[in-house]
Structures are given as C-alpha cells and as structure tokens.
Amino acid sequence: PSRSSASGNDNAQEGTGETTEASSKATTEECDRLYQLMREAERECHELRKRINAWKRLENDALADLGTAETTQSSFSPSECSSCGGPLAQEILLFFMALFESNSEVVQSTITQNFVQALFDESVAMMNKGLFDAKRAAIVALATKSEIASKLILEHLRVRLKGYRDSASAEIMGKIIAVDSPLGEGFVELAEEILSSGY
C-alpha cells in the first residue's frame, strides 16, 4: 500500500506540474496574441490618421504639405492606443527618473524645453492619476536636483503664472519651494514676485 500511495503522489505532482506549465504557456500565447492585436490596431490608426490628413490637405488645396500636421503633436504620446498610452508614458517617465536619480549627469543633456513642456501638459486624453502624479513628482525632483532643469522649469512657471495665473503651476511651485534645495531660491523669489502683484 505504501508503494502504491507514493506512486500515486508522484503521479499527482507530475500532473500538477504539467498543468502549471500548460497554463503558463497558454498565458504567454495569449499575451503574444494581444500584443500583435495592439500593434495591428496601432498600424490601422496610423494609416487612418494619414488618410484624414491627406483629405484635410486636399480640402485646403495644400497637397504640397508633406504631412506636417501628421508629425506635429502638441503633446507626447508613446502609442496610438488610447488605453495603453497613459500607462506606457508613465513607465517611460519612471524609467527616465530612475536613470536621473542614479546618474543625473548622464541624462541632463536630454532635458530640453520641449521635455519640460510635456511634463506640464496635463490636458492630454491619455492622462490618468498614475501619470499625473508621476509628472508632478518628476517636475519637483528635476527642479530641485538639476540646475539645467531648474532653470527651464522656473522660466516655464514664470510664463504660466504671469501670463494666465495658472493654479496648477502655483500648486507645483509650492511643492518645489517646500523641498530644501539651493536650487529653490529662484522659485521663492518668483513666488514673492507673483504674490506682490496681487495673485
């Protein structure tokens, strides 16, 4: 009986292992299938966008335009997929900030005015809470740890606060000032300047 029982246990364990392996394989195949569907949907969106832009150029008698409207975007979007665009942008930003925290000198050259503008852009359709929080945190971290980024962010805040008194920018500047950093002096001065003007 003991030998029979041991044999039965071995068979049960072997069966469980095969089931787990089959389940894992099925999950992998399903992920691959969904990824291929996503890529296909992105290609279809791209082709549709090209056709729409071509029709717009035709209506405006601007066939010489080689797709400027197609390539020029007001905000950064890592994917044509509306569902995955936000989470993907969030992961890219978190990866960038991880690189910045580990070696800020290497990535500082990639911090440009367009990059800062993209961080401030909170009107994009793909925005979700995770991306919103990641953008705000990135702005504060860059403003207090990178001299290059600090200057760009300060000027961007100056334009937004003086131009149309943006409440979101005021909130961001408050968070920057709350961080003890030698780079925060310019933000304090800007805050005093804005308050004295009757913000």
Side-chain angles (χ1 to χ4, degrees):
S2 60
R3 291 181 180 179
S4 177
S5 176
S7 176
N9 289 337
D10 290 342
N11 291 335
Q13 290 177 359
E14 183 178 349
T16 302
E18 291 176 353
T19 302
T20 303
E21 183 178 351
S23 177
S24 178
K25 182 179 180 181
T27 301
T28 301
E29 291 176 351
E30 179 67 9
C31 289
D32 289 340
R33 186 182 71 82
L34 292 174
Y35 176 75
Q36 293 301 324
L37 288 174
M38 184 190 76
R39 299 301 298 174
E40 183 179 348
E42 289 181 356
R43 284 192 293 270
E44 290 177 357
C45 286
H46 178 70
E47 290 301 320
L48 182 59
R49 186 186 296 273
K50 286 174 62 177
R51 292 181 184 181
I52 292 173
N53 287 329
W55 274 109
K56 287 181 178 179
R57 295 197 299 275
L58 182 61
E59 290 175 355
N60 296 325
D61 194 22
L63 290 178
D65 180 3
L66 299 178
T68 303
E70 177 186 348
T71 56
T72 302
Q73 297 182 352
S74 59
S75 60
F76 169 73
S77 177
S79 171
E80 296 287 347
C81 175
S82 58
S83 299
C84 57
L88 182 56
Q90 180 183 343
E91 290 302 319
I92 292 173
L93 179 56
L94 292 176
F95 177 69
F96 174 86
M97 292 308 298
L99 289 176
F100 173 78
E101 294 291 349
S102 63
N103 193 340
S104 61
E105 296 299 326
V106 174
V107 299
Q108 285 213 51
S109 61
T110 65
I111 302 173
T112 63
Q113 187 174 356
N114 287 337
F115 177 75
V116 170
Q117 185 175 353
L119 289 179
F120 274 91
D121 184 8
E122 298 177 349
S123 62
V124 291
M126 66 180 182
M127 181 68 67
N128 54 46
K129 188 178 186 306
L131 180 57
F132 176 88
D133 292 340
K135 281 189 170 188
R136 291 285 182 95
I139 292 171
V140 174
L142 292 171
T144 54
K145 296 179 181 180
S146 166
E147 187 174 352
I148 295 174
S150 182
K151 291 178 180 178
L152 292 172
I153 292 171
L154 179 60
E155 289 307 310
H156 199 76
L157 284 172
R158 189 186 306 278
V159 172
R160 292 170 70 100
L161 289 169
K162 286 191 170 184
Y164 46 95
R165 299 185 180 278
D166 180 45
S167 58
S169 296
E171 183 180 343
I172 290 171
M173 187 164 65
K175 292 183 177 181
I176 294 173
I177 293 174
V179 178
D180 185 15
S181 168
L183 297 175
E185 294 180 3
F187 296 95
V188 173
E189 292 175 1
L190 177 59
E192 292 174 349
E193 184 181 340
I194 297 296
L195 290 173
S196 64
S197 64
Y199 180 80

